[in-house]
Amino acid sequence: MEHLRTPKVENVHLLDRSSGQRRASVGTLYLSATHSIFVEDNPETRKETWVLHSMVNSVEMPSNSPAGSQLILRCKDFRVLQILIPQERDCLDIHASLVRLSRPEKYSELYCLSFNPNVNKEEREESWSFIDLMSDYRRMGVPNNLWVMTAANSEYRVCDTYPSELFVPKSAAPTIITGSSRFRSRGRFPVLSYFHQDTLAAVCRCSQPLSGFSGRCQEDEMMLQAVMRSNPGSDFIYVVDTRPKLNAMANRAAGKGYENEDHYTNIKLQFIGIENIHVMRSSQQKIIDVGEMRSPSMTDFLWGLENSGWLKHIKAILDAGVFIARAVADEGISVLVHCSDGWDRTTQACSVASLLLDPYYRTIRGLMVLIEKDWISFGHKFSHRYAHLDGDPKEVSPVMDQFLECVWQLSEQFPCAFEFNERFLLTIHTHVYSCQYGTFLGNSQRERKELRLPERTHSVWSQLWKDRVDFRNPLFKADLSQSQRVLRPNTTPYCFKMWKGLYSHIDKSMPPCQSPADFLSAMREESQQLEEELTNHQERIAALTGRPIVWEKTEVLKRRTTHLQQRHLGPDPPTSYIQPITGHGQAVALKQANQMALNKEPNLYLPTECHSKLKDHDPDDCSTCSDRESGVADLRSRSSSGGDYAKDPDWE
Amino acid sequence: MAVHVQNKRKLFLDSYHQTNRAQRSREREAVAFIFSGEGGEVICSRRLDHRTIQIFDRQLMELSEHIKTANVEDAVLRQPLHPAARGTLCVTGHHLLFSDREESSPQHFLLLLRNIDAIEKRMSGSSGTITIKCKDLCVLQLDIPGMEQCLNIARSIETLSCLENVSEMYPFFYRPSDQSLKDQWGLSSTEKHYSQMTDLHDRWRVSSVNRDYSVCPTYPQAVIVPKDINDEMLVKAAKFRHGGRFPVLCYYHRKNGMVIMRSSQPLTGANRKRCREDELLLQAVIDGSDKGYIIDTRSSQQAQQARMTGGGFESKSCYSCWKRLHRQVERGKALQESLIKLVEACGNDSHNMDRWLSKLENSKWLSHVQTALSTAGLLAECVERDGHSVLVHCSEGTDSTLLISTVAQLIMDPCCRTLEGFLALLEREWVQAGHPFQKRCAHSAYSHARLQQESPVFLLLLDCVWQLLHQFPLALGFSEALLLRLATEAYASSYGTFLCNSDKERCVSRVKEKTLCLFQALLRPKERRCYANPLYERTELAIWPSVHPQSLQLWRGYFLRWTQQARHLEEAQEEIRNMVILWEKMALT
């Protein structure tokens, strides 16, 4: 609260380019402890725009214009909001408040600690046990006579970034484990990530060995032997170093490096060449810039895409996953994956491989489990990577963004193989950054325990599960050949596309593009309802007449989209807030704004709204409708002659 | 077009074999088999009457001199997404037929020779390999034992795949059992089109000034022109336009009565000639309204330069009520080269990401799509938003002119977006309006032959329509499968629709009497099922496409058609279709 200087400013212009707005709307800006809230003046709509402070990436204040001072808010979900404030003083205040509020310094300032979604204590506790990793290990068939759980790390003594429950080869004695952990960066010794029951091969993960130029460790060598022996019938394992070979070699100078094939018997070393977090950070910035280009030519756009290198990195990660999945499924060879610390690239490669290997991870619940296992429990540093707290900007990197994009690219290639849709991925992306739930907070299991997050915050998974209807891919068909068993994606460059849903602001502004997926979802739901009705009627008729029913042939009905419209209105964003804010003075306004922030689900810019207008256009109302469907502003801006065709090119 | 035929065909072949024509060569057998129709139904041998056989014999005599080796045993066929197959290869006048040796379920593979764009032969020892690159972008390989056999086959393919003489082409011999030459050829005519648009009648008329194709050889016999302009004036206006293509009506916008006209460039030449009749004709188009737009699909420099060679543009002083806009839409050689580069880039799996993106950029194909869509959008905007009539032309008025006017009509007119409406639009704006299909589609992206008049303008149109379909998946009544079929048929077809370069040529070759019409065939109930868009929901609104680079995509369904990726997408389409069928069934009960 102490950071709020001006809780309310009137006569503010807001332009939300990413939601397709072309003209700024006028309204009042409220600042609460957790949100900036913009309420349109227009008495009919009173549209509200909510921005969570923790979603704000940067606040810029470009030079003043005659109409007032400008603020540009760049959000972590890549939205850009332009705000025009009449008085410079107000603008400075808001700027200062937002700069402070968007960079919390302590965990206690985070939204998830004040967020209270109206559930009781039991429900909150249940939400934390919604995903149970042990049952996933059981599902994949461990523990068994090859892999066992070890108590070595139960107090986080061997490795403070690993979870307390870990699976290791049965033959790996505690001395081997501790010995190996001492020879691995951050103590991250080889442990099981995924066990493939069909071939008995496993995906294991660790960090780089502290080998330097010639160092070796007997326990670590035995550990790798044990991993191999846990896959009966195999006579070697792959060690996948996900770094470019050059980087790995450079690490040797710092006493780290990679496995020497002379010291380890029966390993095959494979470098994949995924770049480090710093390269990825700057690459993402470039693709964001591509997404923000106002009216680029095709050449500019494709050049920008190439220059960003982003798709190249995505391909590298997918290639890593494909290599591992092939080794495990086709060759039946276990794979040990590592990078430097084993929490970024390793996590990406292992989770992509699991996704390819196991259809379960392609379901809504399965993806949650996969993220909980490979990302959260194995100590991916969420708070550092996604800048939950003000900290070292060099620690920030879009590691999770890339994983989600890999999943998206796969779902584009196999449209029927995933139970969830793009919206699910985007929602997860938002929550990784939002700090609304405790799920992604902290950098390791140990840290989360110390923060007592399960007692003080809510878990996002059960909430997403509640909303699962919105996240369902209507085309998902588990029994289709492409959906079954191991996915074998094509990673030829032409199979990759820019993820417009995440990076393109233009596309969100396009006609509420008629979405077949939404249409089909609605349809599927309706058929189910009809089916139920039909059975009901049949039962009733049968009960009444005691005779079986013969159906007469009737005319085919015209598709009844009116039924479907309701569905497309989507989940209610704060626009359904009934009480208009009519603050008499700042205190009241502030109080109300805070209340709003605490009481209800804030709009986190899930791109669900745009689907709401899917089919409800009124043919009579051409003017507004065609404007909404219009790409013409777009068309004009494209023309090389400056856009206005009034320009006459006559030379006489 | 590759057609896989199942056991039934084998049965047919067997029964045919037994009916005392046992001595016939394998080659004839294959041809007879082809006569049985690719469409699907198997006809029994009794129906193959003498007339058919005679036609076949005559055809074969003319073409048989090109066939030195008619069949090869023990050949191996490799096609994308299929395991290699060993079997018998037959060359006939118009087809390659391959039958594999599977006893239980023999597979036949049939390829129209016309579909072959280029072949490469490689000899090694006593056998040879022929790589066949098709116009539908499929690449096949045939391993043929025996050097001489291989060379013979290759030579036959080379000659027979690019026959010059229209009347020798396959559509003149294609007689499927379920279609007849007596069926109506074409969907509509200018007169019928006119009679359906009653709003038009008080200001516009049908003129048959071109009934003998003397005024404009590339126009149909009847055209729609302003009522106030008589035929004599039309003749004079035609003399002032390139190739005689005087301005005619191609679209009437019911909402506001505005029209789209199309023509070729005016022949003003270096000394700025004028033509009173042409000016009056255009004045009559505006009639009362304050102004109209002329969209010239050349850059202003190009239009300037055209004057040196006798062409030109409508100057402000002579056409004072018309505002001219220049938008350069690529056509001709540049477009062909763009296609070649793109296909080359798509065919190479070993590119890394940077190389792929730079090749994609370098091909410029997507830029051409973007320009075409945005120019069509501009045209539609002039008519629908600004409420003005528009004349569109390039130089000849047979390529980008048609492209732009067609896409603009799809944007504005819901009637053009149904399956029938779209096919009728293509018939009106491309077949009847004289797009020179034979010249433009003689070769596709693989040919090493020297380019003459090849240019994938029609393919660019289909790509633009696909972009519309991609952005508005519910607004068009037809599916991607239709666009793919049309793209294939335009280059090699069993039907006569895309033969010749103009109505006049079709008339001379008697195409309408002697071949079958593709559009009619596509509207048969069985075909319609796979070409209709299951998600179609008519909207009366204009569908304004986004032309932002991010909104435009590579048409993977076409350019990557023979990869595994395309199969997955097809599966998804199939899934959608099934869901809709199921849903409709439920709604019915």
Side-chain angles (χ1 to χ4, degrees), chain A residues 499-539:
Chain A
W499 189 5
K500 284 192 295 179
L502 190 59
Y503 295 111
S504 166
H505 299 297
I506 308 305
D507 220 52
K508 285 180 204 154
S509 72
M510 281 329 294
C513 256
Q514 305 170 296
S515 151
D518 278 7
F519 188 77
L520 289 168
S521 299
M523 212 173 67
R524 175 155 272 183
E525 203 166 283
E526 205 195 7
S527 352
Q528 271 163 6
Q529 271 174 18
L530 285 166
E531 202 162 358
E532 278 165 29
E533 269 175 45
L534 184 66
T535 1
N536 282 343
H537 285 302
Q538 278 173 336
E539 277 165 10

Short mmCIF file of all heavy atoms in Angstrom, two decimals, chain A residues 499-539:
data_model
loop_
_atom_site.label_atom_id
_atom_site.label_comp_id
_atom_site.label_asym_id
_atom_site.label_seq_id
_atom_site.Cartn_x
_atom_site.Cartn_y
_atom_site.Cartn_z
N TRP A 499 4.73 -19.06 -33.33
CA TRP A 499 3.55 -19.27 -32.48
C TRP A 499 2.80 -17.95 -32.34
O TRP A 499 3.09 -17.14 -31.47
CB TRP A 499 3.97 -19.80 -31.12
CG TRP A 499 2.81 -20.25 -30.28
CD1 TRP A 499 1.50 -20.31 -30.64
CD2 TRP A 499 2.86 -20.70 -28.93
NE1 TRP A 499 0.73 -20.79 -29.61
CE2 TRP A 499 1.54 -21.03 -28.54
CE3 TRP A 499 3.88 -20.87 -28.00
CZ2 TRP A 499 1.22 -21.50 -27.27
CZ3 TRP A 499 3.56 -21.35 -26.74
CH2 TRP A 499 2.25 -21.66 -26.38
N LYS A 500 1.83 -17.79 -33.22
CA LYS A 500 1.11 -16.52 -33.25
C LYS A 500 0.33 -16.27 -31.97
O LYS A 500 0.22 -15.15 -31.50
CB LYS A 500 0.16 -16.50 -34.44
CG LYS A 500 0.88 -16.26 -35.75
CD LYS A 500 -0.11 -15.96 -36.84
CE LYS A 500 -0.98 -17.17 -37.10
NZ LYS A 500 -1.96 -16.93 -38.13
N GLY A 501 -0.21 -17.35 -31.42
CA GLY A 501 -1.03 -17.21 -30.23
C GLY A 501 -0.27 -16.53 -29.10
O GLY A 501 -0.85 -15.85 -28.26
N LEU A 502 1.04 -16.71 -29.08
CA LEU A 502 1.82 -16.12 -28.01
C LEU A 502 2.48 -14.81 -28.43
O LEU A 502 2.49 -13.85 -27.69
CB LEU A 502 2.90 -17.13 -27.56
CG LEU A 502 3.68 -16.78 -26.29
CD1 LEU A 502 2.72 -16.62 -25.12
CD2 LEU A 502 4.69 -17.86 -25.97
N TYR A 503 3.03 -14.79 -29.63
CA TYR A 503 3.86 -13.65 -29.99
C TYR A 503 3.19 -12.61 -30.88
O TYR A 503 3.67 -11.50 -30.99
CB TYR A 503 5.14 -14.13 -30.68
CG TYR A 503 5.99 -14.94 -29.75
CD1 TYR A 503 6.18 -16.29 -29.93
CD2 TYR A 503 6.58 -14.33 -28.64
CE1 TYR A 503 6.94 -17.04 -29.05
CE2 TYR A 503 7.34 -15.07 -27.76
CZ TYR A 503 7.51 -16.41 -27.97
OH TYR A 503 8.25 -17.14 -27.08
N SER A 504 2.15 -13.01 -31.56
CA SER A 504 1.60 -12.07 -32.52
C SER A 504 0.47 -11.27 -31.92
O SER A 504 -0.53 -11.81 -31.48
CB SER A 504 1.09 -12.81 -33.74
OG SER A 504 0.29 -11.94 -34.48
N HIS A 505 0.65 -9.96 -31.89
CA HIS A 505 -0.42 -9.12 -31.39
C HIS A 505 -1.40 -8.83 -32.49
O HIS A 505 -2.56 -8.55 -32.25
CB HIS A 505 0.15 -7.83 -30.84
CG HIS A 505 1.08 -8.12 -29.73
ND1 HIS A 505 0.65 -8.71 -28.58
CD2 HIS A 505 2.40 -7.98 -29.60
CE1 HIS A 505 1.68 -8.90 -27.78
NE2 HIS A 505 2.76 -8.47 -28.38
N ILE A 506 -0.91 -8.88 -33.71
CA ILE A 506 -1.77 -8.57 -34.84
C ILE A 506 -2.89 -9.59 -34.91
O ILE A 506 -4.04 -9.25 -35.11
CB ILE A 506 -0.96 -8.64 -36.14
CG1 ILE A 506 0.29 -7.81 -36.02
CG2 ILE A 506 -1.81 -8.21 -37.30
CD1 ILE A 506 0.06 -6.39 -35.63
N ASP A 507 -2.50 -10.84 -34.70
CA ASP A 507 -3.51 -11.84 -34.95
C ASP A 507 -4.62 -11.82 -33.93
O ASP A 507 -5.76 -12.12 -34.23
CB ASP A 507 -2.89 -13.23 -35.00
CG ASP A 507 -3.54 -14.02 -36.11
OD1 ASP A 507 -3.59 -13.50 -37.21
OD2 ASP A 507 -4.02 -15.13 -35.83
N LYS A 508 -4.29 -11.45 -32.71
CA LYS A 508 -5.35 -11.37 -31.71
C LYS A 508 -6.32 -10.27 -32.09
O LYS A 508 -7.47 -10.28 -31.71
CB LYS A 508 -4.75 -11.08 -30.34
CG LYS A 508 -4.07 -12.27 -29.73
CD LYS A 508 -3.51 -11.89 -28.38
CE LYS A 508 -2.36 -12.81 -28.02
NZ LYS A 508 -1.43 -12.16 -27.10
N SER A 509 -5.80 -9.30 -32.87
CA SER A 509 -6.66 -8.19 -33.23
C SER A 509 -7.48 -8.52 -34.46
O SER A 509 -8.30 -7.74 -34.89
CB SER A 509 -5.80 -6.97 -33.52
OG SER A 509 -5.12 -7.15 -34.74
N MET A 510 -7.24 -9.63 -35.05
CA MET A 510 -7.95 -9.97 -36.27
C MET A 510 -9.36 -10.36 -35.94
O MET A 510 -9.72 -10.48 -34.81
CB MET A 510 -7.22 -11.10 -36.97
CG MET A 510 -6.03 -10.61 -37.72
SD MET A 510 -6.31 -8.95 -38.32
CE MET A 510 -7.62 -9.26 -39.48
N PRO A 511 -10.15 -10.55 -36.98
CA PRO A 511 -11.53 -10.93 -36.73
C PRO A 511 -11.52 -12.00 -35.69
O PRO A 511 -10.60 -12.79 -35.69
CB PRO A 511 -11.97 -11.53 -38.06
CG PRO A 511 -10.72 -11.72 -38.85
CD PRO A 511 -9.80 -10.66 -38.36
N PRO A 512 -12.48 -12.02 -34.85
CA PRO A 512 -12.52 -13.10 -33.87
C PRO A 512 -12.54 -14.32 -34.71
O PRO A 512 -13.56 -14.98 -34.87
CB PRO A 512 -13.85 -12.86 -33.18
CG PRO A 512 -14.59 -11.89 -34.05
CD PRO A 512 -13.66 -11.26 -34.97
N CYS A 513 -11.45 -14.54 -35.35
CA CYS A 513 -11.33 -15.49 -36.44
C CYS A 513 -12.23 -16.63 -36.14
O CYS A 513 -12.24 -17.15 -35.06
CB CYS A 513 -9.91 -15.99 -36.54
SG CYS A 513 -9.08 -15.23 -37.89
N GLN A 514 -12.95 -16.98 -37.13
CA GLN A 514 -13.91 -18.04 -36.90
C GLN A 514 -13.08 -19.24 -36.47
O GLN A 514 -12.24 -19.70 -37.21
CB GLN A 514 -14.60 -18.34 -38.19
CG GLN A 514 -15.22 -17.12 -38.81
CD GLN A 514 -15.66 -17.46 -40.19
OE1 GLN A 514 -14.86 -17.78 -41.04
NE2 GLN A 514 -16.94 -17.43 -40.40
N SER A 515 -13.32 -19.68 -35.28
CA SER A 515 -12.48 -20.75 -34.77
C SER A 515 -13.17 -22.09 -34.90
O SER A 515 -14.18 -22.34 -34.25
CB SER A 515 -12.15 -20.47 -33.32
OG SER A 515 -11.96 -21.67 -32.66
N PRO A 516 -12.65 -22.97 -35.72
CA PRO A 516 -13.29 -24.28 -35.87
C PRO A 516 -13.24 -25.06 -34.57
O PRO A 516 -14.17 -25.79 -34.26
CB PRO A 516 -12.46 -24.98 -36.94
CG PRO A 516 -11.45 -24.03 -37.41
CD PRO A 516 -11.45 -22.83 -36.53
N ALA A 517 -12.16 -24.86 -33.82
CA ALA A 517 -12.04 -25.64 -32.59
C ALA A 517 -13.17 -25.33 -31.63
O ALA A 517 -13.80 -26.22 -31.07
CB ALA A 517 -10.69 -25.36 -31.94
N ASP A 518 -13.46 -24.03 -31.46
CA ASP A 518 -14.55 -23.65 -30.57
C ASP A 518 -15.87 -24.21 -31.06
O ASP A 518 -16.69 -24.68 -30.29
CB ASP A 518 -14.65 -22.13 -30.49
CG ASP A 518 -13.66 -21.58 -29.51
OD1 ASP A 518 -12.84 -22.38 -29.02
OD2 ASP A 518 -13.72 -20.37 -29.23
N PHE A 519 -16.02 -24.09 -32.36
CA PHE A 519 -17.26 -24.56 -32.95
C PHE A 519 -17.44 -26.05 -32.70
O PHE A 519 -18.50 -26.51 -32.28
CB PHE A 519 -17.21 -24.28 -34.45
CG PHE A 519 -18.50 -24.56 -35.14
CD1 PHE A 519 -19.54 -23.66 -35.02
CD2 PHE A 519 -18.66 -25.70 -35.89
CE1 PHE A 519 -20.75 -23.91 -35.65
CE2 PHE A 519 -19.86 -25.96 -36.51
CZ PHE A 519 -20.91 -25.06 -36.39
N LEU A 520 -16.36 -26.78 -32.91
CA LEU A 520 -16.44 -28.22 -32.73
C LEU A 520 -16.66 -28.61 -31.27
O LEU A 520 -17.39 -29.53 -30.98
CB LEU A 520 -15.17 -28.89 -33.27
CG LEU A 520 -15.05 -28.87 -34.79
CD1 LEU A 520 -13.66 -29.28 -35.21
CD2 LEU A 520 -16.08 -29.77 -35.42
N SER A 521 -16.01 -27.85 -30.38
CA SER A 521 -16.21 -28.15 -28.96
C SER A 521 -17.67 -28.01 -28.60
O SER A 521 -18.26 -28.89 -27.96
CB SER A 521 -15.42 -27.17 -28.09
OG SER A 521 -14.07 -27.27 -28.37
N ALA A 522 -18.24 -26.90 -29.07
CA ALA A 522 -19.64 -26.66 -28.77
C ALA A 522 -20.50 -27.77 -29.35
O ALA A 522 -21.45 -28.25 -28.73
CB ALA A 522 -20.06 -25.31 -29.33
N MET A 523 -20.11 -28.15 -30.55
CA MET A 523 -20.88 -29.17 -31.23
C MET A 523 -20.81 -30.49 -30.49
O MET A 523 -21.80 -31.18 -30.29
CB MET A 523 -20.28 -29.35 -32.61
CG MET A 523 -21.28 -29.71 -33.63
SD MET A 523 -20.45 -29.70 -35.20
CE MET A 523 -19.38 -31.07 -34.97
N ARG A 524 -19.60 -30.82 -30.08
CA ARG A 524 -19.41 -32.09 -29.38
C ARG A 524 -20.25 -32.10 -28.12
O ARG A 524 -20.94 -33.07 -27.82
CB ARG A 524 -17.93 -32.26 -29.04
CG ARG A 524 -17.64 -33.48 -28.23
CD ARG A 524 -16.23 -33.97 -28.42
NE ARG A 524 -16.14 -34.89 -29.53
CZ ARG A 524 -15.02 -35.50 -29.88
NH1 ARG A 524 -13.91 -35.27 -29.23
NH2 ARG A 524 -14.99 -36.35 -30.90
N GLU A 525 -20.24 -30.97 -27.43
CA GLU A 525 -21.01 -30.89 -26.20
C GLU A 525 -22.50 -31.07 -26.50
O GLU A 525 -23.20 -31.80 -25.83
CB GLU A 525 -20.77 -29.53 -25.56
CG GLU A 525 -21.02 -29.51 -24.09
CD GLU A 525 -20.43 -28.23 -23.51
OE1 GLU A 525 -19.20 -28.17 -23.34
OE2 GLU A 525 -21.20 -27.31 -23.28
N GLU A 526 -22.92 -30.39 -27.56
CA GLU A 526 -24.34 -30.48 -27.89
C GLU A 526 -24.73 -31.89 -28.28
O GLU A 526 -25.79 -32.38 -27.91
CB GLU A 526 -24.70 -29.49 -29.00
CG GLU A 526 -26.16 -29.13 -28.92
CD GLU A 526 -26.65 -28.47 -30.20
OE1 GLU A 526 -25.89 -28.42 -31.18
OE2 GLU A 526 -27.79 -28.02 -30.21
N SER A 527 -23.85 -32.56 -29.05
CA SER A 527 -24.23 -33.93 -29.42
C SER A 527 -24.38 -34.80 -28.20
O SER A 527 -25.25 -35.65 -28.14
CB SER A 527 -23.24 -34.60 -30.38
OG SER A 527 -22.29 -33.74 -30.83
N GLN A 528 -23.49 -34.55 -27.21
CA GLN A 528 -23.60 -35.35 -26.00
C GLN A 528 -24.94 -35.11 -25.31
O GLN A 528 -25.61 -36.04 -24.90
CB GLN A 528 -22.45 -35.04 -25.05
CG GLN A 528 -21.26 -35.92 -25.31
CD GLN A 528 -19.99 -35.38 -24.67
OE1 GLN A 528 -20.05 -34.39 -23.95
NE2 GLN A 528 -18.88 -36.00 -24.97
N GLN A 529 -25.29 -33.83 -25.25
CA GLN A 529 -26.57 -33.49 -24.63
C GLN A 529 -27.72 -34.16 -25.35
O GLN A 529 -28.59 -34.76 -24.76
CB GLN A 529 -26.79 -31.98 -24.65
CG GLN A 529 -26.22 -31.30 -23.43
CD GLN A 529 -26.31 -29.80 -23.56
OE1 GLN A 529 -27.08 -29.30 -24.37
NE2 GLN A 529 -25.53 -29.10 -22.78
N LEU A 530 -27.67 -34.02 -26.69
CA LEU A 530 -28.74 -34.60 -27.48
C LEU A 530 -28.82 -36.11 -27.26
O LEU A 530 -29.90 -36.68 -27.17
CB LEU A 530 -28.50 -34.30 -28.96
CG LEU A 530 -28.80 -32.88 -29.40
CD1 LEU A 530 -28.20 -32.62 -30.76
CD2 LEU A 530 -30.28 -32.62 -29.39
N GLU A 531 -27.66 -36.69 -27.17
CA GLU A 531 -27.63 -38.13 -26.98
C GLU A 531 -28.31 -38.51 -25.66
O GLU A 531 -29.11 -39.42 -25.61
CB GLU A 531 -26.17 -38.60 -26.97
CG GLU A 531 -26.01 -40.05 -27.31
CD GLU A 531 -24.56 -40.35 -27.71
OE1 GLU A 531 -23.75 -39.41 -27.74
OE2 GLU A 531 -24.28 -41.50 -27.97
N GLU A 532 -27.97 -37.73 -24.64
CA GLU A 532 -28.59 -37.99 -23.35
C GLU A 532 -30.09 -37.82 -23.43
O GLU A 532 -30.86 -38.67 -22.97
CB GLU A 532 -28.03 -37.03 -22.29
CG GLU A 532 -26.71 -37.49 -21.73
CD GLU A 532 -26.02 -36.38 -20.97
OE1 GLU A 532 -26.72 -35.50 -20.42
OE2 GLU A 532 -24.76 -36.38 -20.94
N GLU A 533 -30.50 -36.71 -24.05
CA GLU A 533 -31.93 -36.47 -24.21
C GLU A 533 -32.60 -37.63 -24.90
O GLU A 533 -33.67 -38.10 -24.50
CB GLU A 533 -32.17 -35.21 -25.05
CG GLU A 533 -32.28 -33.94 -24.23
CD GLU A 533 -32.38 -32.72 -25.14
OE1 GLU A 533 -33.16 -32.78 -26.12
OE2 GLU A 533 -31.68 -31.73 -24.89
N LEU A 534 -31.93 -38.07 -25.95
CA LEU A 534 -32.49 -39.15 -26.75
C LEU A 534 -32.71 -40.39 -25.89
O LEU A 534 -33.78 -40.98 -25.89
CB LEU A 534 -31.54 -39.46 -27.91
CG LEU A 534 -32.04 -40.50 -28.90
CD1 LEU A 534 -33.26 -39.99 -29.63
CD2 LEU A 534 -30.94 -40.84 -29.88
N THR A 535 -31.69 -40.74 -25.12
CA THR A 535 -31.83 -41.92 -24.27
C THR A 535 -32.96 -41.71 -23.27
O THR A 535 -33.76 -42.62 -23.04
CB THR A 535 -30.53 -42.22 -23.50
OG1 THR A 535 -29.58 -41.22 -23.85
CG2 THR A 535 -30.01 -43.58 -23.84
N ASN A 536 -33.03 -40.50 -22.72
CA ASN A 536 -34.11 -40.21 -21.78
C ASN A 536 -35.47 -40.45 -22.42
O ASN A 536 -36.33 -41.11 -21.86
CB ASN A 536 -34.05 -38.76 -21.32
CG ASN A 536 -32.98 -38.59 -20.27
OD1 ASN A 536 -32.53 -39.58 -19.70
ND2 ASN A 536 -32.57 -37.35 -20.04
N HIS A 537 -35.62 -39.85 -23.61
CA HIS A 537 -36.90 -39.98 -24.30
C HIS A 537 -37.21 -41.44 -24.61
O HIS A 537 -38.33 -41.90 -24.41
CB HIS A 537 -36.88 -39.17 -25.60
CG HIS A 537 -37.01 -37.70 -25.35
ND1 HIS A 537 -38.07 -37.14 -24.68
CD2 HIS A 537 -36.20 -36.66 -25.68
CE1 HIS A 537 -37.91 -35.84 -24.60
NE2 HIS A 537 -36.78 -35.51 -25.20
N GLN A 538 -36.19 -42.12 -25.09
CA GLN A 538 -36.40 -43.52 -25.42
C GLN A 538 -36.87 -44.29 -24.21
O GLN A 538 -37.82 -45.07 -24.28
CB GLN A 538 -35.10 -44.14 -25.95
CG GLN A 538 -34.89 -43.82 -27.41
CD GLN A 538 -33.53 -44.29 -27.89
OE1 GLN A 538 -32.60 -44.45 -27.09
NE2 GLN A 538 -33.41 -44.51 -29.18
N GLU A 539 -36.23 -44.01 -23.10
CA GLU A 539 -36.61 -44.71 -21.87
C GLU A 539 -38.06 -44.41 -21.51
O GLU A 539 -38.82 -45.29 -21.16
CB GLU A 539 -35.68 -44.31 -20.72
CG GLU A 539 -34.39 -45.11 -20.74
CD GLU A 539 -33.34 -44.48 -19.86
OE1 GLU A 539 -33.67 -43.55 -19.10
OE2 GLU A 539 -32.18 -44.92 -19.94
#
